[in-house]
Amino acid sequence: YIQEGLIPADHGPTAQFSYHLNLLFDVCNSHSQFGPTPQKAAIRFDSQELFRFIQDGRNWIKTWKIVDAEGNVVNSKYHCLKGIDILLAAIPQIVSELYRETGAVYLLTRRINQDPLENLFSLFQTTLGNNRHPSSVQMDQVFRTAAVA
């Protein structure tokens, strides 16, 4: 983007950071067997190159230094860094275990994140509004709506 003049040259480090983080998020959100990039495709049990990419991403994240206004490194206050590391470490392990135990050749990582559950609860909230005590009939209607969507 810098070479094309779409962003100023001094924004390069931020653009690189965003690009690399986006690729890691793509790995965590694969939704089809074949994708336009290796990071967006299903993770196969024999995806050694992708497993290396994940490990490199883990190593990269461990180099981050989050600094407060006084210049102190405060990484330990950001528990999400540990969560991202655990998630990225688990993906190759889950893929290997699934292959070993069930013969599954690939994993769609979108299926193992909590977004679908969050989306379901969002649908409940949108459909039911402020009703904090819906009846069983109302819940049944919401579930039917979710199943059709």
Side-chain angles (χ1 to χ4, degrees), residues 107-134:
L107 172 69
L108 301 175
T109 52
R110 178 178 279 180
R111 301 287 186 190
I112 61 171
N113 66 36
Q114 77 181 51
D115 286 346
L117 185 59
E118 290 176 0
N119 291 341
L120 179 62
F121 284 113
S122 176
L123 179 64
F124 289 166
Q125 186 176 23
T126 301
T127 304
L128 298 171
N130 290 329
N131 183 355
R132 295 193 180 270
H133 305 288

Side-chain angles (χ1 to χ4, degrees), residues 58-73:
R58 291 180 66 208
N59 293 338
W60 174 63
I61 290 169
K62 289 174 185 174
T63 68
W64 294 0
K65 301 285 185 256
I66 301 174
V67 181
D68 66 12
E70 289 80 38
N72 303 310
V73 176

